[in-house]
Amino acid sequence: MRDRTDGLVTGPPATTAGTFVHRALFYRGGTEYLARVGGFVRGALAAAEPVLVAVPGPRLDALRENLGASAAAEVTWADMTRWGRNPGRVLAALSDFADRCADRPARILGEPIWPGRTRAEVREATRHEALINTAFAGRRATVLCPYDAVGLPTAVLADARRTHPTLIDGGRHLRSTVYADASAVCADCDPPLAEPDGAVSRFEYAPGQLGAVREYVVAWARGTSLGPGRRGDLVLAVSEAAANSLSHGGGRGTLRLWNSAGSGGVAEIRDGGRLSDPLAGRRRPSLASPHGGRGLWLIHQLCDLVEIRASADGLTLRLHMTAR
């Protein structure tokens, strides 16, 4: 029997009414990748189900060629190296796709972790994988996440087993015996942030000083490798974070700025706030909502990496901006 999930092996149906399926696919080499991932996409097209393919750029071209021009034209494509540069914005994009296809079960192929990702990026992508299960619970959708079983560290593959209820490995469909609740996985993604190397600029702000915060970032950013557009993005992102501090974080905060070898600039905002919703900023906020995380959502859209840490003392946001 051929499995309706990927067209290759025996297993359960991809979706039934009101169900959500989240699987990790462990692949070894390009041939297996194209066979299993291509089978997943062909299965979606054969079932007349909308399908989104969000994988690193080099994989996109190979998959398009493998599927053929006619089939490829029916697929929504996204380069994950750009679309998901910041893992914190991927979930909103997946949800947007599923929302547009609410009348039919959606199939999503998402590869948020690939060889070459930094440790911090992998940590946030792992958090994203765990939160998919919370955000999509009860929805008619199947998300398949390929993992390079040869090129990725053992620890990353172990985390994939914790964030996916079911797995495909060597053509076999398996239930993960170590699948964990999203809250447990996210807690493990929250080690203390390392202190920066080199010089750090610091600015303490209080009510009425949001304009001063912007001016401070503008002046500091002129000495970085960021171009005018990216400097503007950094100013806007920090402004949104500082505004949250003043409104919801105790009315004051601390801004730190420094250069990083891996990015054009890093901004860190600390305040006395709390983050009760783990999906805050990872869902597109409703325009009708009087509050609801618009600032944090915008920060995720602007930055190349967002690290968030909550403690008894308050909230820390670390925003990374590359020169690109």
Side-chain angles (χ1 to χ4, degrees):
M1 180 183 292
R2 298 171 74 82
D3 174 26
R4 284 179 286 171
T5 298
D6 62 9
L8 291 172
V9 297
T10 299
T15 54
T16 56
T19 64
F20 171 58
V21 178
H22 188 202
R23 287 196 177 110
L25 165 65
F26 298 114
Y27 67 90
R28 296 164 180 82
T31 300
E32 182 179 11
Y33 185 91
L34 291 176
R36 302 204 184 283
V37 169
F40 176 83
V41 177
R42 288 190 181 90
L45 297 178
E49 294 178 354
V51 58
L52 165 68
V53 174
V55 299
R59 298 295 194 194
L60 289 176
D61 294 337
L63 280 171
R64 285 194 183 100
E65 183 177 351
N66 180 264
L67 290 170
S70 178
E74 300 181 50
V75 175
T76 300
W77 301 92
D79 183 349
M80 187 63 91
T81 60
R82 297 182 179 180
W83 200 59
R85 176 72 178 85
N86 170 21
R89 60 176 172 242
V90 176
L91 187 51
L94 300 189
S95 297
D96 286 349
F97 176 79
D99 288 344
R100 292 195 299 270
C101 311
D103 59 326
R104 293 175 290 167
R107 296 207 203 184
I108 296 170
L109 180 71
E111 189 171 2
I113 301 177
W114 58 87
R117 279 281 213 188
T118 68
R119 181 176 298 181
E121 290 168 357
V122 168
R123 187 178 295 122
E124 295 306 316
T126 299
R127 189 194 307 273
H128 153 75
E129 288 277 54
L131 291 174
I132 283 180
N133 302 304
T134 301
F136 274 77
R139 302 187 70 164
R140 295 191 304 162
T142 296
V143 177
L144 182 67
C145 304
Y147 281 79
D148 185 343
V150 177
L152 290 171
T154 301
V156 173
L157 303 179
D159 279 336
R161 294 182 174 90
R162 297 183 69 212
T163 55
H164 296 78
T166 57
L167 317 168
I168 303 175
D169 192 358
R172 297 177 299 155
H173 284 250
L174 308 167
R175 290 193 179 278
S176 175
T177 60
V178 294
Y179 173 68
D181 185 79
S183 60
V185 176
C186 290
D188 291 339
C189 291
D190 284 339
L193 294 168
E195 280 298 301
D197 296 325
V200 176
S201 298
R202 182 186 182 99
F203 185 79
E204 305 278 351
Y205 56 92
Q209 291 189 297
L210 188 56
V213 170
R214 296 193 190 100
E215 292 174 3
Y216 189 82
V217 179
V218 167
W220 178 85
R222 292 195 188 102
T224 71
S225 60
L226 297 173
R230 297 301 281 160
R231 292 201 299 267
D233 289 342
L234 179 63
V235 172
L236 180 54
V238 171
S239 178
E240 290 292 335
N244 281 343
S245 297
L246 298 175
S247 298
H248 312 292
R252 60 186 63 249
T254 300
L255 168 66
R256 299 199 301 170
L257 298 160
W258 66 90
N259 291 304
S260 171
S263 65
V266 181
E268 181 185 89
I269 299 90
R270 293 184 180 180
D271 58 40
R274 296 288 184 268
L275 191 65
S276 58
D277 181 4
L279 294 175
R282 295 172 183 268
R283 295 180 292 197
R284 185 184 295 274
S286 170
L287 294 177
S289 173
H291 52 278
R294 278 192 293 271
L296 189 52
W297 180 82
L298 182 58
I299 288 168
H300 274 299
Q301 305 309 304
L302 292 168
C303 298
D304 294 298
L305 179 65
V306 178
E307 298 178 274
I308 302 175
R309 296 292 186 272
S311 70
D313 298 327
L315 197 65
T316 299
L317 271 67
R318 187 170 285 187
L319 316 180
H320 300 252
M321 195 74 69
T322 61
R324 59 177 171 84

